Short mmCIF file of all heavy atoms in Angstrom, two decimals:
data_model
loop_
_atom_site.label_atom_id
_atom_site.label_comp_id
_atom_site.label_asym_id
_atom_site.label_seq_id
_atom_site.Cartn_x
_atom_site.Cartn_y
_atom_site.Cartn_z
N MET A 864 -56.23 -113.49 244.65
CA MET A 864 -56.58 -112.91 245.94
C MET A 864 -56.70 -113.97 247.02
O MET A 864 -56.49 -113.69 248.21
CB MET A 864 -57.91 -112.15 245.83
CG MET A 864 -57.87 -110.93 244.94
SD MET A 864 -59.51 -110.23 244.63
CE MET A 864 -60.06 -109.90 246.31
N ASN A 908 -72.26 -113.33 244.02
CA ASN A 908 -72.41 -111.98 243.47
C ASN A 908 -73.15 -112.02 242.14
O ASN A 908 -73.98 -111.15 241.84
CB ASN A 908 -71.03 -111.35 243.25
CG ASN A 908 -70.34 -111.03 244.55
OD1 ASN A 908 -70.93 -111.09 245.63
ND2 ASN A 908 -69.06 -110.69 244.47
N TYR A 979 -72.01 -109.53 250.92
CA TYR A 979 -71.30 -108.54 250.10
C TYR A 979 -72.27 -107.93 249.08
O TYR A 979 -72.34 -106.71 248.91
CB TYR A 979 -70.11 -109.19 249.39
CG TYR A 979 -69.42 -108.27 248.42
CD1 TYR A 979 -68.91 -107.05 248.82
CD2 TYR A 979 -69.28 -108.63 247.08
CE1 TYR A 979 -68.28 -106.19 247.93
CE2 TYR A 979 -68.65 -107.80 246.17
CZ TYR A 979 -68.16 -106.58 246.60
OH TYR A 979 -67.55 -105.74 245.70
N TYR A 986 -73.48 -104.90 252.13
CA TYR A 986 -72.50 -103.87 252.47
C TYR A 986 -71.68 -103.43 251.26
O TYR A 986 -71.10 -102.34 251.25
CB TYR A 986 -71.59 -104.34 253.60
CG TYR A 986 -70.74 -105.55 253.30
CD1 TYR A 986 -69.53 -105.43 252.64
CD2 TYR A 986 -71.12 -106.83 253.70
CE1 TYR A 986 -68.72 -106.54 252.37
CE2 TYR A 986 -70.35 -107.94 253.44
CZ TYR A 986 -69.15 -107.79 252.78
OH TYR A 986 -68.37 -108.89 252.51
N GLY A 987 -71.63 -104.27 250.21
CA GLY A 987 -70.95 -103.87 248.99
C GLY A 987 -71.64 -102.72 248.30
O GLY A 987 -71.04 -102.06 247.43
N ALA A 990 -70.29 -98.83 250.06
CA ALA A 990 -68.88 -98.42 250.06
C ALA A 990 -68.04 -99.11 251.12
O ALA A 990 -67.03 -98.56 251.58
CB ALA A 990 -68.77 -96.90 250.22
N LEU A 991 -68.42 -100.32 251.51
CA LEU A 991 -67.66 -101.05 252.53
C LEU A 991 -66.92 -102.25 251.95
O LEU A 991 -66.30 -103.01 252.69
CB LEU A 991 -68.60 -101.51 253.66
CG LEU A 991 -69.20 -100.40 254.52
CD1 LEU A 991 -70.22 -100.98 255.49
CD2 LEU A 991 -68.12 -99.64 255.27
N GLY A 992 -67.01 -102.43 250.65
CA GLY A 992 -66.38 -103.60 250.03
C GLY A 992 -64.88 -103.67 250.27
O GLY A 992 -64.35 -104.73 250.62
N GLU A 993 -64.19 -102.53 250.12
CA GLU A 993 -62.74 -102.53 250.29
C GLU A 993 -62.33 -102.88 251.71
O GLU A 993 -61.31 -103.54 251.93
CB GLU A 993 -62.16 -101.15 249.90
CG GLU A 993 -62.11 -100.87 248.42
CD GLU A 993 -63.45 -100.49 247.82
OE1 GLU A 993 -64.45 -100.35 248.59
OE2 GLU A 993 -63.53 -100.31 246.59
N VAL A 994 -63.12 -102.43 252.68
CA VAL A 994 -62.81 -102.73 254.08
C VAL A 994 -62.85 -104.23 254.33
O VAL A 994 -61.93 -104.82 254.92
CB VAL A 994 -63.80 -102.01 255.03
CG1 VAL A 994 -63.57 -102.45 256.47
CG2 VAL A 994 -63.66 -100.51 254.91
N PHE A 995 -63.91 -104.88 253.86
CA PHE A 995 -64.06 -106.31 254.10
C PHE A 995 -63.05 -107.13 253.28
O PHE A 995 -62.58 -108.17 253.73
CB PHE A 995 -65.49 -106.75 253.78
CG PHE A 995 -66.46 -106.45 254.88
CD1 PHE A 995 -66.98 -105.17 255.04
CD2 PHE A 995 -66.84 -107.44 255.77
CE1 PHE A 995 -67.86 -104.88 256.06
CE2 PHE A 995 -67.73 -107.16 256.80
CZ PHE A 995 -68.24 -105.88 256.95
N VAL A 996 -62.73 -106.66 252.08
CA VAL A 996 -61.71 -107.35 251.27
C VAL A 996 -60.37 -107.31 251.98
O VAL A 996 -59.66 -108.32 252.06
CB VAL A 996 -61.61 -106.72 249.88
CG1 VAL A 996 -60.31 -107.13 249.19
CG2 VAL A 996 -62.79 -107.15 249.01
N PHE A 997 -60.01 -106.16 252.53
CA PHE A 997 -58.74 -106.04 253.24
C PHE A 997 -58.71 -106.96 254.47
O PHE A 997 -57.71 -107.63 254.73
CB PHE A 997 -58.50 -104.60 253.68
CG PHE A 997 -57.22 -104.39 254.43
CD1 PHE A 997 -56.00 -104.32 253.77
CD2 PHE A 997 -57.21 -104.30 255.82
CE1 PHE A 997 -54.82 -104.15 254.45
CE2 PHE A 997 -56.03 -104.13 256.52
CZ PHE A 997 -54.82 -104.05 255.83
N GLY A 1028 -53.51 -107.68 251.35
CA GLY A 1028 -54.80 -107.03 251.49
C GLY A 1028 -54.91 -105.76 250.66
O GLY A 1028 -55.95 -105.49 250.05
N LEU A 1029 -53.83 -104.98 250.60
CA LEU A 1029 -53.85 -103.74 249.82
C LEU A 1029 -53.98 -104.03 248.32
O LEU A 1029 -54.72 -103.34 247.61
CB LEU A 1029 -52.57 -102.94 250.09
CG LEU A 1029 -52.44 -102.33 251.49
CD1 LEU A 1029 -51.10 -101.63 251.65
CD2 LEU A 1029 -53.58 -101.35 251.76
N ILE A 1030 -53.28 -105.05 247.84
CA ILE A 1030 -53.38 -105.40 246.42
C ILE A 1030 -54.79 -105.90 246.10
O ILE A 1030 -55.36 -105.59 245.05
CB ILE A 1030 -52.33 -106.45 246.03
CG1 ILE A 1030 -50.92 -105.89 246.26
CG2 ILE A 1030 -52.48 -106.85 244.56
CD1 ILE A 1030 -49.80 -106.90 246.03
N ALA A 1031 -55.38 -106.69 247.01
CA ALA A 1031 -56.74 -107.16 246.80
C ALA A 1031 -57.71 -105.98 246.74
O ALA A 1031 -58.64 -105.97 245.92
CB ALA A 1031 -57.13 -108.11 247.93
N CYS A 1032 -57.50 -104.98 247.58
CA CYS A 1032 -58.33 -103.78 247.54
C CYS A 1032 -58.16 -103.03 246.23
O CYS A 1032 -59.13 -102.49 245.68
CB CYS A 1032 -57.99 -102.86 248.71
SG CYS A 1032 -58.55 -103.44 250.32
N ALA A 1033 -56.93 -103.00 245.72
CA ALA A 1033 -56.68 -102.35 244.43
C ALA A 1033 -57.50 -103.01 243.33
O ALA A 1033 -58.06 -102.34 242.46
CB ALA A 1033 -55.20 -102.40 244.09
N ALA A 1034 -57.58 -104.34 243.37
CA ALA A 1034 -58.37 -105.07 242.37
C ALA A 1034 -59.84 -104.67 242.45
O ALA A 1034 -60.51 -104.48 241.42
CB ALA A 1034 -58.21 -106.57 242.58
N LEU A 1035 -60.36 -104.53 243.66
CA LEU A 1035 -61.76 -104.15 243.82
C LEU A 1035 -62.00 -102.72 243.35
O LEU A 1035 -63.02 -102.41 242.72
CB LEU A 1035 -62.20 -104.30 245.27
CG LEU A 1035 -63.67 -104.00 245.56
CD1 LEU A 1035 -64.58 -104.88 244.71
CD2 LEU A 1035 -63.98 -104.19 247.04
N VAL A 1036 -61.04 -101.83 243.62
CA VAL A 1036 -61.19 -100.43 243.21
C VAL A 1036 -61.27 -100.31 241.69
O VAL A 1036 -62.15 -99.61 241.16
CB VAL A 1036 -60.03 -99.58 243.76
CG1 VAL A 1036 -60.01 -98.19 243.09
CG2 VAL A 1036 -60.14 -99.41 245.26
N VAL A 1037 -60.38 -100.99 240.98
CA VAL A 1037 -60.42 -100.88 239.51
C VAL A 1037 -61.66 -101.57 238.95
O VAL A 1037 -62.22 -101.14 237.93
CB VAL A 1037 -59.13 -101.45 238.88
CG1 VAL A 1037 -59.08 -102.97 238.93
CG2 VAL A 1037 -59.00 -100.97 237.43
N ASN A 1038 -62.13 -102.61 239.61
CA ASN A 1038 -63.36 -103.27 239.18
C ASN A 1038 -64.55 -102.31 239.33
O ASN A 1038 -65.39 -102.20 238.43
CB ASN A 1038 -63.59 -104.53 240.00
CG ASN A 1038 -64.80 -105.31 239.54
OD1 ASN A 1038 -64.78 -105.97 238.50
ND2 ASN A 1038 -65.88 -105.25 240.29
N ASN A 1039 -64.60 -101.60 240.45
CA ASN A 1039 -65.68 -100.66 240.68
C ASN A 1039 -65.52 -99.40 239.82
O ASN A 1039 -66.52 -98.76 239.46
CB ASN A 1039 -65.74 -100.27 242.16
CG ASN A 1039 -66.24 -101.41 243.03
OD1 ASN A 1039 -66.90 -102.32 242.55
ND2 ASN A 1039 -65.90 -101.37 244.31
N LEU A 1040 -64.28 -99.05 239.50
CA LEU A 1040 -64.04 -97.92 238.60
C LEU A 1040 -64.62 -98.21 237.22
O LEU A 1040 -65.24 -97.36 236.60
CB LEU A 1040 -62.54 -97.66 238.50
CG LEU A 1040 -62.09 -96.58 237.50
CD1 LEU A 1040 -62.64 -95.22 237.91
CD2 LEU A 1040 -60.57 -96.54 237.41
N ARG A 1041 -64.42 -99.43 236.76
CA ARG A 1041 -64.96 -99.84 235.46
C ARG A 1041 -66.48 -99.71 235.43
O ARG A 1041 -67.06 -99.30 234.42
CB ARG A 1041 -64.57 -101.30 235.19
CG ARG A 1041 -65.06 -101.87 233.87
CD ARG A 1041 -64.99 -103.37 233.89
NE ARG A 1041 -65.92 -103.94 234.87
CZ ARG A 1041 -65.83 -105.17 235.35
NH1 ARG A 1041 -64.86 -105.97 234.98
NH2 ARG A 1041 -66.72 -105.61 236.23
N ASP A 1042 -67.13 -100.04 236.55
CA ASP A 1042 -68.59 -100.05 236.60
C ASP A 1042 -69.18 -98.80 237.24
O ASP A 1042 -70.35 -98.79 237.61
CB ASP A 1042 -69.07 -101.28 237.39
CG ASP A 1042 -68.66 -102.59 236.75
OD1 ASP A 1042 -68.50 -102.61 235.51
OD2 ASP A 1042 -68.48 -103.58 237.48
N ASP A 1046 -73.03 -98.45 238.11
CA ASP A 1046 -73.40 -98.60 239.52
C ASP A 1046 -74.23 -97.41 239.99
O ASP A 1046 -75.19 -97.56 240.75
CB ASP A 1046 -72.15 -98.75 240.39
CG ASP A 1046 -71.50 -100.12 240.24
OD1 ASP A 1046 -72.18 -101.04 239.76
OD2 ASP A 1046 -70.32 -100.26 240.59
N LYS A 1051 -76.12 -98.55 243.17
CA LYS A 1051 -75.11 -99.28 243.92
C LYS A 1051 -74.03 -98.29 244.35
O LYS A 1051 -73.31 -97.74 243.54
CB LYS A 1051 -74.50 -100.39 243.07
CG LYS A 1051 -73.47 -101.24 243.81
CD LYS A 1051 -72.97 -102.37 242.91
CE LYS A 1051 -71.97 -103.25 243.65
NZ LYS A 1051 -71.49 -104.37 242.81
N THR A 1053 -70.72 -97.79 245.62
CA THR A 1053 -69.37 -98.29 245.90
C THR A 1053 -68.50 -97.11 246.32
O THR A 1053 -68.91 -95.93 246.21
CB THR A 1053 -68.76 -98.95 244.67
OG1 THR A 1053 -68.61 -97.96 243.63
CG2 THR A 1053 -69.64 -100.07 244.16
N LEU A 1054 -67.31 -97.40 246.80
CA LEU A 1054 -66.40 -96.32 247.18
C LEU A 1054 -66.12 -95.41 245.99
O LEU A 1054 -66.04 -94.18 246.15
CB LEU A 1054 -65.09 -96.93 247.70
CG LEU A 1054 -64.02 -95.92 248.15
CD1 LEU A 1054 -64.53 -95.05 249.29
CD2 LEU A 1054 -62.75 -96.67 248.58
N SER A 1055 -66.00 -96.00 244.80
CA SER A 1055 -65.71 -95.19 243.61
C SER A 1055 -66.84 -94.22 243.29
O SER A 1055 -66.59 -93.11 242.80
CB SER A 1055 -65.45 -96.09 242.41
OG SER A 1055 -64.23 -96.78 242.56
N TYR A 1067 -56.18 -96.41 243.48
CA TYR A 1067 -55.73 -97.69 242.93
C TYR A 1067 -54.20 -97.76 242.89
O TYR A 1067 -53.60 -98.76 243.31
CB TYR A 1067 -56.28 -97.89 241.52
CG TYR A 1067 -55.63 -99.04 240.79
CD1 TYR A 1067 -56.06 -100.35 241.01
CD2 TYR A 1067 -54.55 -98.84 239.93
CE1 TYR A 1067 -55.45 -101.42 240.37
CE2 TYR A 1067 -53.94 -99.91 239.30
CZ TYR A 1067 -54.39 -101.19 239.52
OH TYR A 1067 -53.77 -102.25 238.90
N LEU A 1070 -52.74 -98.11 246.45
CA LEU A 1070 -52.95 -99.45 247.00
C LEU A 1070 -52.05 -100.49 246.34
O LEU A 1070 -51.57 -101.43 247.00
CB LEU A 1070 -54.41 -99.87 246.81
CG LEU A 1070 -55.45 -99.09 247.62
CD1 LEU A 1070 -56.86 -99.46 247.17
CD2 LEU A 1070 -55.28 -99.37 249.11
N LEU A 1118 -57.28 -104.96 235.55
CA LEU A 1118 -57.70 -105.97 236.53
C LEU A 1118 -56.88 -107.26 236.35
O LEU A 1118 -56.46 -107.88 237.33
CB LEU A 1118 -59.18 -106.25 236.38
CG LEU A 1118 -59.82 -107.17 237.41
CD1 LEU A 1118 -59.64 -106.62 238.82
CD2 LEU A 1118 -61.31 -107.37 237.10
N THR A 1121 -53.44 -106.68 237.69
CA THR A 1121 -53.46 -106.67 239.16
C THR A 1121 -53.42 -108.09 239.70
O THR A 1121 -52.75 -108.36 240.70
CB THR A 1121 -54.72 -105.95 239.67
OG1 THR A 1121 -54.82 -104.65 239.07
CG2 THR A 1121 -54.68 -105.79 241.18
#
Side-chain angles (χ1 to χ4, degrees):
M864 294 171 58
N908 291 350
Y979 174 57
Y986 63 84
L991 292 174
E993 285 78 5
V994 174
F995 280 80
V996 163
F997 180 78
L1029 291 177
I1030 299 174
C1032 287
L1035 183 57
V1036 168
V1037 73
N1038 184 74
N1039 289 338
L1040 175 64
R1041 180 197 66 198
D1042 298 332
D1046 286 341
K1051 183 177 181 179
T1053 64
L1054 180 60
S1055 291
Y1067 168 82
L1070 292 171
L1118 186 58
T1121 307

